[in-house]
Amino acid sequence: MTEEIEEMGPVDYVVVEWVGTEPTGEAIPHLVELAESGLIRILDLAFITKDAEGNVAELEIANLGGGEFAVLEGVTSGLLAEDDHNEAASALENGTSAAILVYENRWAAPFAAAVRRSGAQLVATGRIPVEHLLETLDARED
């Protein structure tokens, strides 16, 4: 198990919010394609809802509308717990639903493993929102 972990790529999570009570499923084929191509490995996935009063509940994949979701049934490692759902929900507006996705960046695994073997460690990570990138590039053109 330790050797497998040492060979893993970076693990990230995302929380994606939808206005209303359920996601549409439009993004599911793209997520499946990323996993099937080996770019990512889905470690855990949960859907939650936050009602108008701020109460949080898990949405069962089997109860989500549309057949797109069926492929995701059983995709869980047990990493996400109720406290993770509540923490993710703190970023949500009332009356919304969300997907919480934990995934391994398999494309980066060889690099990450080599970095660890060399004695280095990751000390910071971040993400630049596309809107910020565009604003920066637009400002440079002026």
Side-chain angles (χ1 to χ4, degrees), residues 3 20 29 46-47 53 56 62 74 82 100 102 105 110 118 123 131 134:
E3 185 175 316
F47 291 90
E53 289 78 40
V56 180
E82 186 175 344
I100 308 167
V102 180
N105 291 285
S118 75
V123 295
E131 296 81 9
L134 294 174

Side-chain angles (χ1 to χ4, degrees), residues 68-91:
E68 298 88 0
F69 293 94
V71 71
L72 299 174
E73 280 195 70
V75 176
T76 183
S77 64
L79 287 172
L80 293 173
E82 186 175 344
D83 59 330
D84 298 309
H85 296 180
N86 291 330
E87 185 174 338
S90 70

